[in-house]
Amino acid sequence: MGTLWAARLARAGLPVTLIVRNAARLHAFKTALGITLVEGEQTQRFDVNAQLPEAQEPIERLLLTCKAYDAEHAISLIAHRLAPGAEVILLQNGLGSQQAVAARVPQARCIFASSTEGAFRDGDWRVVFAGQGHTWLGEPDAGEAPQWLAELRLSHIGHEWSPTILSRLWRKLALNCAINPLTVLYDCQNGGLQAHRTEVDTLCDELAALLIRCGQAAAADGLGAEVHRVIQATANNYSSMHQDVAQGRRTEISYLLGYACEAARQQKFAVPHLHAVHQRLIEHLSQRGLPCN
Ligand code: KPL
């Protein structure tokens, strides 16, 4: 997602600097001579800057696009570089990492984002824009839209300022909790869950009740029906968590089911089915030697 945003901002003539993990990545970037965006039949290369986290330059606006489990560490490496009043846009799945990042950088304005855009890498520093989508941005305490949203418009990044971003993130989390873990446990495409309708419905009922208990009634509204719509619309796809497990990658379990179970514990609200699926998933991951957090 970082490369996808960087390429479109650069295409609009805006200055972009990538912050890469380490010297080896910086070297690889310099060899690639920029980033490449593949969109339909079109392939375009863009020249952008890149630097290491330990560079000195102050940061005014940062888009953090790493996985949820890397976000807190990533921000800790550059927190001292954030200028007073800097803005940090957090584009992570699930919930929990955004709050952890915000607590680490109280001097910054943290903007949470939720996106339905799809992209994948087909080479180093190359991104394929696979699915047109939309990105919602907002502050958890419903702040005003920043001026620079106009720059996103210039870059043709479909977006909207959302006064209810937490509700959007909770809704997406609930959808992912109802679908992703079961696709891993049954080793199936999303459509395979049509054979486990009762189990999906039970999880949706529990998730909707939890959302209401957490003060997120709007995110609970019609959850079950939407989950079934998504299962049908994406029947031939493997969920992102299924893909992670199949490729031996760490999952974002702690920011999805883990977050939901922890919220239930804090609310003293019983979620036996969610809890059972969480435990089954932990067992499944540990049997495959994958992290359970
Ligand atoms: O977002 C998804 C994912 O795979 O992570 C969907 C397709 C909605 C399934 O939960």
Side-chain angles (χ1 to χ4, degrees):
M1 290 304 281
T3 313
L4 181 63
W5 275 61
R8 290 178 296 175
L9 292 168
R11 186 174 59 188
L14 296 162
V16 178
T17 300
L18 303 182
I19 301 178
V20 301
R21 264 167 215 271
N22 51 38
R25 292 303 291 151
L26 189 58
H27 179 73
F29 174 80
K30 288 187 173 152
T31 324
L33 302 171
I35 51 176
T36 301
L37 173 65
V38 183
E39 197 175 0
E41 299 293 295
Q42 236 190 12
T43 299
Q44 282 176 290
R45 192 151 53 84
F46 301 98
D47 193 16
V48 297
N49 295 320
Q51 59 180 215
L52 293 173
E54 50 270 30
Q56 295 297 315
E57 202 180 305
I59 299 169
E60 304 276 351
R61 197 175 306 145
L62 176 77
L63 175 69
L64 193 68
T65 56
C66 57
K67 292 280 191 185
Y69 47 74
D70 281 333
E72 203 180 342
H73 176 64
I75 203 76
S76 74
L77 298 177
I78 49 174
H80 63 285
R81 294 179 53 193
L82 294 176
E87 289 164 306
V88 180
I89 304 149
L90 300 166
L91 200 51
Q92 277 68 44
N93 279 330
L95 274 164
S97 72
Q98 300 91 336
Q99 292 90 332
V101 168
R104 284 248 178 191
V105 288
Q107 76 275 33
R109 179 188 191 193
C110 285
I111 293 171
F112 296 9
S114 177
S115 183
T116 56
E117 289 190 324
F120 62 89
R121 275 191 296 239
D122 74 340
D124 216 10
W125 309 108
R126 281 176 62 94
V127 63
V128 181
F129 192 7
Q132 293 284 339
H134 203 76
T135 301
W136 287 266
L137 304 134
E139 277 185 299
D141 53 5
E144 290 285 304
Q147 296 288 326
W148 49 259
L149 282 194
E151 293 180 2
L152 294 192
R153 224 166 294 131
L154 262 182
S155 314
H156 300 289
I157 296 174
H159 69 280
E160 200 175 307
W161 184 254
S162 169
T164 55
I165 191 69
L166 270 184
S167 172
R168 286 208 168 268
L169 286 162
W170 264 113
R171 174 68 160 212
K172 180 83 182 351
L173 177 148
L175 263 159
N176 289 157
C177 283
I179 299 174
N180 298 13
L182 292 181
T183 62
V184 172
L185 294 170
Y186 291 118
D187 189 14
C188 65
Q189 293 166 320
N190 293 351
L193 298 186
Q194 283 157 344
H196 302 279
R197 205 186 158 99
T198 316
E199 202 171 353
V200 172
D201 285 341
T202 308
L203 286 183
C204 288
D205 290 347
E206 231 173 65
L207 282 161
L210 173 63
L211 287 171
I212 292 168
R213 177 68 167 243
C214 293
Q216 299 292 339
D221 195 31
L223 177 66
E226 190 179 352
V227 164
H228 287 294
R229 263 199 309 277
V230 170
I231 287 175
Q232 206 172 10
T234 61
N236 297 323
N237 297 355
Y238 283 103
S239 75
S240 54
M241 191 180 273
H242 187 284
Q243 293 178 43
D244 284 341
V245 174
Q247 289 167 35
R249 291 191 303 239
R250 181 173 175 183
T251 69
E252 293 179 307
I253 175 175
S254 294
Y255 304 88
L256 298 169
L257 262 182
Y259 187 85
C261 288
E262 176 55 23
R265 196 190 61 79
Q266 283 179 16
Q267 295 288 333
K268 300 189 174 30
F269 189 71
V271 285
H273 297 95
L274 273 179
H275 194 68
V277 171
H278 190 210
Q279 289 311 309
R280 280 162 66 197
L281 187 60
I282 286 175
E283 215 160 286
H284 187 96
L285 296 175
S286 78
Q287 276 168 9
R288 280 152 190 81
L290 291 173
C292 301
N293 62 350

